[in-house]
Amino acid sequence: MASREDMGSWLEGGRREDAGSGRLGLPETGSGSLARLGRRAVALVVDWAVATLIAYLVTSPASFAELNSWVTLGVFALENLLLVSTVGFTIGHRLLGMQVRTLGAPDGVAPGFVRGAVRTFLLCLVIPAVVWDGDGRGLHDRAAGTVLVRR
């Protein structure tokens, strides 16, 4: 005979035995937990600095002040698209011990080109990346079905 808890469990979305105790089924702390804002911000600065350096070397302007910001944004977008889609992290993510993962996918599986493209496009628009949902994910990650976790 079914118990009252069994009948009402669908309201909570059911229970998974392998789910973590934290948000989104991820652990609260340590490897696999949601990456915090400070770590994400530093990784973004590292990635932007790398993109700026590459754009400077490719275009060879007289000074950094003359560097076209659209070229830098293009390099930044290309870096994000290629690296996140194929290996699951950018240079900044790797240096700070983070990885982009598809929600519900096993560890070590890269998000793929479509998810990477959606995430990169919205990240370059800036606003979706600085607006978070209740789980602490940026709207660019939510739209792509990805999550940035600690390695």
Side-chain angles (χ1 to χ4, degrees), residues 61-82:
S63 69
F64 273 105
E66 294 178 13
L67 183 62
N68 186 335
S69 60
W70 289 106
V71 174
T72 304
L73 181 63
V75 171
F76 177 80
L78 188 62
E79 174 202 4
N80 267 274
L81 176 63
L82 294 177

Side-chain angles (χ1 to χ4, degrees), residues 109-125:
V109 176
F113 183 77
V114 173
R115 290 183 192 276
V118 169
R119 186 180 190 280
T120 299
F121 175 73
L122 294 174
L123 178 64
C124 289
L125 291 178

Side-chain angles (χ1 to χ4, degrees), residues 15-68:
R15 288 186 173 78
R16 288 183 23 198
E17 295 301 321
D18 61 338
S21 60
R23 294 182 287 203
L24 303 170
L26 301 172
E28 285 290 330
T29 59
S31 181
S33 66
L34 196 61
R36 303 278 185 234
L37 177 61
R39 194 179 285 246
R40 293 186 304 198
V42 173
L44 181 66
V45 169
V46 168
D47 289 333
W48 190 261
V50 168
T52 302
L53 182 62
I54 291 170
Y56 181 79
L57 293 173
V58 168
T59 60
S60 301
S63 69
F64 273 105
E66 294 178 13
L67 183 62
N68 186 335

Side-chain angles (χ1 to χ4, degrees), residues 78-92:
L78 188 62
E79 174 202 4
N80 267 274
L81 176 63
L82 294 177
L83 293 177
V84 169
S85 297
T86 58
V87 293
F89 50 80
T90 63
I91 295 167

